[in-house]
Each structure stands twice: as C-alpha cells, then as structure tokens.
Amino acid sequence: MNCSAWKAEGQITFIVTIAYCSLFLFTFAVLMPLQDVFFYWLPMNVSLLFLPHGVRILTAYFYGWKSMLYLLPGHVITWAYLRFALESEQNVYSSLVSISASFLAVCLVFRSWSSHSDSQLRSHWKLIVGAGALASFGNGIGHAFLYGHLIDTAFISLTVGYLIGDVSGLFFLMLTLIVMNRQARLWRI
C-alpha cells in the first residue's frame, strides 16, 4: 500500500470513529435521559433509539470486511467511557461481539463479504434494516454467551428492548442521512 492509500484508510477510520463516538455520546447524554423521563420503567441500559447501531450496520454495508477495523477504535473509546466514566462492568470483548455481529449479519443478508456502493442503497434499504435486526439479535446472543447468562425471560425482554432500539436507531439514522443528502443536492453543497 502506498502513502495515499494509508491516508485514505486513516481518514475513513477517523470519520467512522467520530460518527460512532458522537452518536454514542448523544444517545447516552441526551436521548437516554430524555427517555428516562417518559419511560422511567425501562432499564437504563436499554435505549429506544440507539443511533450507533446504524453506524455499525452502514459501515459494514459500505466497507465490507474492512468495517471491523474501522469500527474498532470507536468501540474501544466508548467502552472506556462506559467503564471509567460510568463505572460499567462491560467487558472490552463486548466491542468485538457487537462489531462481529454487525458484520456477520450484513454478510448473511447480502451473501457477500465485500462492500456495496451507495448507488445500491435505494434498493437495499429494507435489507439493511433486516441486517440491523439480525445483528441486534446476534449481538444479544453473543453478549449472553460472553457474560455467561442463560437465555431466559429476562434475556428475551432485554434482547427485545435492544432490538427495538437498534432497529429504530438504524432507521432514524438512515432517514436523517437521506434528508441531509436531499438537502445537500437541493442546495448543491
């Protein structure tokens, strides 16, 4: 790889990391406290609109196997935030579970390890949302095995909560990006 290729890889990693971390912090600092006002009975670890899941799925869709490398720095940064700022007991390997579940779900739905172009996005949006749901379910199972939990009623209710938050976060992020893209084309930015 030449210098410009390394620079391009670094830029993509930086953009994905900033997007993931920004949406993660926005979710935890703004959306979840707001959610707690209206849905106080939900556990604090369930977000009804988890936007970072959209970054995971869209990165896996656009960059294929390289997405695992692009997502890792953002996941490690947010794990450190959870661990040291919020004193979460989350394992650093949970990042690998989430990244792997997202990548494998996109691979299973699209039957491809490679990347997809943005020109295919219009026809693939339902499949992307399906991959997001599959990734959320795989993420729940992976975390159950990682933390040694049994697959019981509590696990199922948490997984359903995560599924709702992950899929709604993915859908909302895609909708936001579509609106931003249309506005940019309208104004020719």
Side-chain angles (χ1 to χ4, degrees):
M1 264 170 88
N2 60 23
C3 186
S4 62
W6 281 105
K7 183 178 178 183
E9 296 293 323
Q11 288 174 338
I12 294 168
T13 303
F14 180 75
I15 290 168
V16 169
T17 300
I18 293 299
Y20 188 84
C21 291
S22 299
L23 291 176
F24 188 91
L25 289 174
F26 179 74
T27 299
F28 272 77
V30 177
L31 295 179
M32 289 179 77
L34 188 62
Q35 169 186 301
D36 194 39
V37 171
F38 297 103
F39 303 101
Y40 53 87
W41 64 87
L42 286 175
M44 257 322 269
N45 60 344
V46 173
S47 172
L48 293 177
L49 190 66
F50 191 67
L51 299 170
H53 186 67
V55 175
R56 285 195 297 245
I57 299 301
L58 291 174
T59 302
Y61 175 79
F62 285 123
Y63 297 109
W65 67 269
K66 288 183 177 182
S67 66
M68 296 194 297
L69 302 173
Y70 298 150
L71 287 164
L72 192 58
H75 271 271
V76 170
I77 291 168
T78 55
W79 167 82
Y81 170 74
L82 287 174
R83 180 77 173 150
F84 300 114
L86 300 181
E87 298 178 357
S88 170
E89 295 179 3
Q90 193 170 24
N91 191 322
V92 71
Y93 295 117
S94 66
S95 299
L96 298 176
V97 169
S98 298
I99 292 169
S100 300
S102 298
F103 172 68
L104 291 174
V106 170
C107 288
L108 286 171
V109 169
F110 289 97
R111 292 176 279 186
S112 171
W113 297 90
S114 62
S115 60
H116 299 84
S117 72
D118 57 351
S119 65
Q120 298 169 315
L121 192 58
R122 175 172 276 164
S123 62
H124 285 176
W125 76 268
K126 291 177 186 174
L127 292 172
I128 293 171
V129 172
L134 183 61
S136 182
F137 184 71
N139 198 12
I141 290 176
H143 281 96
F145 285 122
L146 179 65
Y147 294 109
H149 298 302
L150 297 174
I151 298 179
D152 58 2
T153 308
F155 165 79
I156 292 170
S157 64
L158 273 177
T159 300
V160 168
Y162 292 147
L163 180 71
I164 291 168
D166 287 349
V167 173
S168 65
L170 170 61
F171 185 78
F172 185 79
L173 181 62
M174 287 175 58
L175 188 63
T176 302
L177 291 172
I178 288 168
V179 168
M180 288 173 55
N181 190 25
R182 286 188 180 173
Q183 289 298 318
R185 275 191 274 153
L186 181 69
W187 294 95
R188 295 199 173 124
I189 296 177

